[in-house]
Structures are given as C-alpha cells and as structure tokens.
Amino acid sequence: MKLTILGCYSATPRALTNTTSQVLEIKNHMFLIDCGEGTQVHLRRHKIKFNRIKHVFISHLHGDHFFGLVGLISTFRLLTRETDLHVYGPKGIKEVVTLQMKLADSWTNYNLYFHELESTTSELIFEDDDVEVYTIPLKHRIYTNGFLFKEKEGERKLDVDAAEDHNINVAYYRKLKQGFDVENEEGDLIKNKEVTSPPIKSKSYAFCSDTAYNEAIIPIIKNADVLYHESTFLEKHEALADPTKHSTAKQAATIANKANVGTLILGHYSTRYGGLDDFKREAETIFKSVELSEDGKIFDFN
C-alpha cells in the first residue's frame, strides 16, 4: 500500500502549495482521490502513468477538490486514451463535467462512467477480487464523503514441504490455500493449519477530507491501518472550525485515537499558517503515531 500526496492544502493553489489530490496504490490498483486544480501536472511530475488510473473518487464539489478533473479528462482524450475511466462522486458531478465537454464539443474517445452518490449512510461503491471501497459520510457544508479502501484477505501461504510430507496430492494445493482441510493419498484428513500459515494481513486506508469533528465515522474507520483526516486549523482557531465545518489537528487526533487506527496523516491545512510542525505537535498530545502530509510526499506502508 503506497500513498502519494499530490496536494494537501485547502482553498486555492499557490506557488508552493497545491490543493487536495492523492494517489493510492493498493493491490495493483492506482486510485486517484480528489482532483484539485493542477492535478495532472503533479501526476506528470511524479511519473505516474495516466493509463493506470481507472477510478477517480471525488469527495465533494468544492473547487479545491475537483477543479482539476475536467482538465484531466480532456488530457486523457488528447492522449487518445482507450481505457475506461470511472468517476465516483456526489450527484451533480456528471452534469458539471459533461456540460463543459458539450460546450467545448470535446467528447471523450474512451468510455467515461459516472457513479453518482447520494446516500447519507456508508455504502459499498466498488468491489473486485482484491479490494473493496466504502463511502464515509462526512459533516461538511455540502454533501461530502470520505472513502475507505480495504484489501480483501488473501490466500493462506502453503508450506509445500509440509504438504509433501503429508502426502497431499498437488491437485489439492489450491483448496489448501483457500483454507480447506483435505484428504491425503491415504484418505486421512489433513487439517489446513498443519500445512499452511495465515495470509499476509490485509491493509486498509481511510480518507476523510473536509469535515467537522464527527464521531459518527468511528465505527466505519475502526482499526484502519492508516487514516488521512483533514486538520485545517490549529486549536487556537477552533472557533473557525465549526462554522466552516472543518477540524483542528487535535480533533483529528481524537478521532484517530477513538477509532484505534494505526497511523494518522494530517492534511488540508489552511495557508494562514507559516509551517506545519505545530499541527504534528498538537495532534501528538492525543495520538502518538502522527504523520504530516506534504505536497510530493510518498508514504509506503508495505
């Protein structure tokens, strides 16, 4: 599981700070999460292959989270993309994107699918053999979702030497990896745990973009390996957090602590602050395993 932060600041892009966008690599998928202005430039800068991005998840329709999407879709067209692209986002995102395409007479030469979200409860929005993606309903000024990415549990690891010692036919190796007990050549039942070991622990990543402090998300993100939670303000500006429906670093840490996550990554900083160290120090008074997102930073959780 690898996370590349393309942008992690709030409001508007500046010379040295970019708005929200990140790429999550998990189980051979490359998911684009939010698409702030200039995202395609940052993808190029990090040498991320455009064709590997097949699914884009947009948290909400504030510009600093999706203004880069139309440009990215247009660039894909100019590059004669053929791979399907799926966009998951709030109801209205299809209208916003397709209106611009219609007025510019610039329809894509690849299949573009929109999956519009309206539910105020968590729902499964993507699933294949390896990964599940759930929404995390957030508390912001407009309809907003975070996203929980979960690896499915893999197969058990087969000890081939042990299987041979138990005289198990190779035809049953697949069943063993799937967790079944099998009979050996003599007809004796061999317990799975005698010839296999548990699979590598599956990982999970929770992305919580713009939101006020909201304990309702805790059951959804409980025990996630990594939590990205917005921390627009420091505690000294907490009075600004509630009316704007944002969080402080300490509030983000409180959510991480109550949800028992492995690591907390802070982001979506207000540009009113000159540095980021105070965010980390503040969060660490509540939760110890704290990381700061920064534009261009890569987190490798393998």
Side-chain angles (χ1 to χ4, degrees), residues 13 21 38 58 78 89 122 142 144 180 216-217 227 254 261 287-288 292:
S21 185
I58 301 297
L78 294 173
S122 181
I142 61 173
T144 305
F180 294 98
I217 70 174
L227 166 65
T254 301
V261 304
F287 186 77
K288 295 306 178 187
L292 293 172

Side-chain angles (χ1 to χ4, degrees), residues 89-261:
K91 183 175 177 60
I93 193 166
K94 180 178 180 179
E95 180 182 2
V96 169
V97 173
T98 55
L99 177 61
Q100 294 182 73
M101 293 165 61
K102 174 184 176 181
L103 295 177
D105 192 20
S106 298
W107 300 105
T108 61
N109 48 358
Y110 55 90
N111 293 321
L112 179 59
Y113 299 99
F114 290 93
H115 306 265
E116 295 196 310
L117 309 174
E118 298 181 82
S119 177
T120 55
T121 59
S122 181
E123 60 179 339
L124 177 67
I125 58 173
F126 172 82
E127 181 180 19
D128 65 6
D129 291 340
D130 300 312
V131 179
E132 296 174 331
V133 183
Y134 295 86
T135 56
I136 306 170
L138 300 176
K139 188 178 179 182
H140 194 42
R141 300 194 305 278
I142 61 173
Y143 178 75
T144 305
N145 284 301
F147 303 101
L148 175 65
F149 302 84
K150 297 177 66 175
E151 293 180 343
K152 290 185 176 180
E153 187 173 271
E155 293 183 333
R156 294 182 66 82
K157 291 182 285 185
L158 176 65
D159 184 335
V160 176
D161 290 337
E164 290 176 347
D165 289 343
H166 283 80
N167 203 21
I168 299 173
N169 191 295
V170 67
Y172 291 108
Y173 284 6
R174 179 68 175 166
K175 297 287 285 183
L176 288 169
K177 290 179 180 180
Q178 293 173 339
F180 294 98
D181 301 334
V182 301
E183 290 185 353
N184 66 6
E185 297 285 8
E186 288 76 36
D188 299 323
L189 186 66
I190 306 301
K191 294 292 186 181
N192 186 274
K193 64 182 181 181
E194 295 182 45
V195 293
T196 69
S197 57
I200 297 172
K201 182 182 179 297
S202 56
K203 300 182 182 69
S204 57
Y205 173 66
F207 170 83
C208 293
S209 66
D210 299 19
T211 184
Y213 180 79
N214 181 18
E215 293 190 358
I217 70 174
I218 292 173
I220 304 171
I221 66 173
K222 193 77 173 177
N223 299 320
D225 291 280
V226 184
L227 166 65
Y228 174 96
H229 194 291
E230 76 121 287
S231 54
T232 305
F233 300 109
L234 293 172
E235 187 180 22
K236 63 185 177 182
H237 293 123
E238 186 178 355
L240 298 176
D242 186 58
T244 59
K245 294 296 184 283
H246 285 298
S247 298
T248 67
K250 184 171 283 189
Q251 288 172 337
T254 301
I255 293 292
N257 187 56
K258 291 188 175 186
N260 192 39
V261 304

